[in-house]
Amino acid sequence: MKKIYFMALCMGLMGMTSCGNKTEQAEEPAAQTVEEQGLKIAYVEIDTLMQKYQFCIDYNELATIEGENIQRTLTGKQRTLEQHAAAMQKKYESNGFTSQEELTRAQQSLQAEQQALQELSERLQASFMEEQAKYNEEMRDSVQKFLKQYNRTKKYDFIMAKAGDNMLLANPKYDITNEVLKGLNKRYKVKPEVAEKLKKNEKKADEKKK
């Protein structure tokens, strides 16, 4: 669950226009065409952005905390269900049920408990995914707003997102990752509620080490 949150952003984070890869064309003529048309192109390494943009660092940690809380809740409920099932089995084997009706009610109660756990799991998972979608949209919006401001002076025609092997070849001289990263981190302000959650988690981690 912990890895779900931001990984889906890699291919579409920037929301900027990107050029398709045309492997059948020779590299030099393509480069000449760009120069002749006066196009100004740059790209950003998404992997680096995900690792070093403080927004990503904070929200990745926050998502980890929330994911672990959900897992802890479901594990506790599952353990309780298993205990109830074991108790019912033990009572059945020791002929503790006085009638078939009593056994049936116990079985129905256990089934209802199992169904409730399943529904709780689905609700928590759906809520988690909804929160991550909101965080992802917020991050994408922050990057796009920064790039619009950044590009007022840079005047790039294309700013592309380089993630994994989605770009087969890229000249490092067009890499503006560090410049963008520096600007993003400079303008980033963590929300008070996020800072509070991160602070509480850090405190818990310190207490565990003692």
Side-chain angles (χ1 to χ4, degrees):
M1 182 187 295
K2 294 191 294 184
K3 295 294 184 180
I4 295 174
Y5 13 95
F6 293 123
M7 296 307 295
L9 281 175
C10 286
M11 300 307 296
L13 174 62
M14 297 302 178
M16 306 293 287
T17 304
S18 61
C19 300
N21 293 309
K22 297 184 179 180
T23 56
E24 294 180 0
Q25 295 182 354
E27 295 174 12
E28 189 60 29
Q32 289 176 348
T33 300
V34 169
E35 294 297 329
E36 289 168 1
Q37 294 178 354
L39 292 177
K40 194 175 180 183
I41 297 174
Y43 69 86
V44 175
E45 290 275 4
I46 299 303
D47 291 343
T48 301
L49 208 64
M50 302 283 282
Q51 294 169 5
K52 297 183 179 180
Y53 181 17
Q54 192 60 44
F55 182 106
C56 297
I57 295 172
D58 288 346
Y59 279 85
N60 185 60
E61 183 177 348
L62 185 62
T64 299
I65 294 169
E66 293 175 350
E68 289 176 347
N69 287 340
I70 290 174
Q71 190 62 49
R72 191 159 37 248
T73 297
L74 295 178
T75 298
K77 295 286 186 182
Q78 179 66 35
R79 188 177 297 114
T80 299
L81 176 63
E82 291 172 354
Q83 290 172 349
H84 291 171
M88 189 186 75
Q89 181 66 25
K90 184 177 180 180
K91 186 175 181 179
Y92 174 78
E93 292 175 352
S94 62
N95 296 318
F97 291 102
T98 58
S99 65
Q100 180 62 39
E101 288 76 12
E102 184 183 0
L103 173 60
T104 299
R105 285 195 300 270
Q107 290 173 331
Q108 290 174 343
S109 177
L110 190 64
Q111 289 173 355
E113 189 176 348
Q114 185 174 17
Q115 180 63 30
L117 175 58
Q118 179 63 32
E119 292 173 356
L120 174 63
S121 176
E122 291 173 358
R123 286 197 305 273
L124 292 177
Q125 296 277 0
S127 177
F128 180 84
M129 294 301 293
E130 184 177 337
E131 282 296 305
Q132 300 322 305
K134 183 178 71 175
Y135 297 153
N136 290 348
E137 182 63 29
E138 188 176 342
M139 182 175 70
R140 182 165 50 244
D141 185 59
S142 74
V143 172
Q144 289 180 332
K145 283 183 177 179
F146 169 78
L147 287 178
K148 285 180 181 179
Q149 182 178 1
Y150 169 85
N151 208 38
R152 288 174 184 172
T153 55
K154 298 298 182 178
K155 306 297 183 181
Y156 287 110
D157 295 291
F158 295 92
I159 298 180
M160 297 181 288
K162 184 177 184 296
D165 60 356
N166 72 313
M167 291 173 61
L168 298 181
L169 184 65
N171 190 326
K173 76 176 184 178
Y174 299 121
D175 185 355
I176 60 171
T177 305
N178 290 335
E179 191 175 347
V180 169
L181 187 58
K182 182 179 179 180
L184 283 169
N185 281 329
K186 184 177 180 180
R187 75 197 296 264
Y188 172 62
K189 297 292 186 297
V190 62
K191 291 182 177 180
E193 61 271 23
V194 173
E196 182 64 23
K197 289 181 180 180
L198 295 176
K199 185 177 179 181
K200 287 181 179 179
N201 187 63
E202 184 178 352
K203 184 177 180 181
K204 287 181 180 179
D206 290 339
E207 290 174 352
K208 288 180 180 179
K209 292 179 181 178
K210 295 179 180 179

